[in-house]
Amino acid sequence: MKKYHVCKGDSVKVIAGNFKGAEATIKAMLSDKDRVVLEIAGEAPCKLGKRTLKKSRTNPNGGMVERSVSVHVSNVALTEAGKKAKAEAKAARDAKKDGAK
């Protein structure tokens, strides 16, 4: 299993790509492709881009659909709030571990 500098639920800032400068929350991790699905703050939830879908029974017309798109994990960085939350969570885990001994 790969280890990343971010995880699901972290608040991040996009540092490269089409959404550069945007504040977002990680909605999902795609570890097989080293990508993260983002939920951009201030925009409609998960409405990031348009994708082409083939015709199918569930979508008989096919065509363009607005849905989540992913960004490579190297193109996101934790925000200061995200770093603070991670540090607090680690301190709580360590305190719990020390209290159990």
Side-chain angles (χ1 to χ4, degrees), residues 54-63:
K54 288 183 175 181
K55 291 181 180 180
S56 65
R57 288 185 184 199
T58 57
N59 191 10
N61 294 330

Side-chain angles (χ1 to χ4, degrees), residues 74-96:
S74 66
N75 291 343
V76 297
L78 279 173
T79 59
E80 291 301 320
K83 289 178 184 178
K84 186 176 180 182
K86 272 199 176 223
E88 290 172 359
K90 184 176 181 189
R93 278 194 314 267
D94 291 343
K96 186 176 178 182

Side-chain angles (χ1 to χ4, degrees), residues 35-71:
R35 299 179 80 77
V36 293
V37 177
L38 300 176
E39 185 172 338
I40 302 283
E43 291 192 20
C46 306
K47 182 180 170 186
L48 299 180
K50 292 187 177 189
R51 303 293 292 220
T52 305
L53 291 181
K54 288 183 175 181
K55 291 181 180 180
S56 65
R57 288 185 184 199
T58 57
N59 191 10
N61 294 330
M64 299 293 282
V65 175
E66 291 182 347
R67 69 177 204 187
S68 300
V69 292
S70 59
V71 176

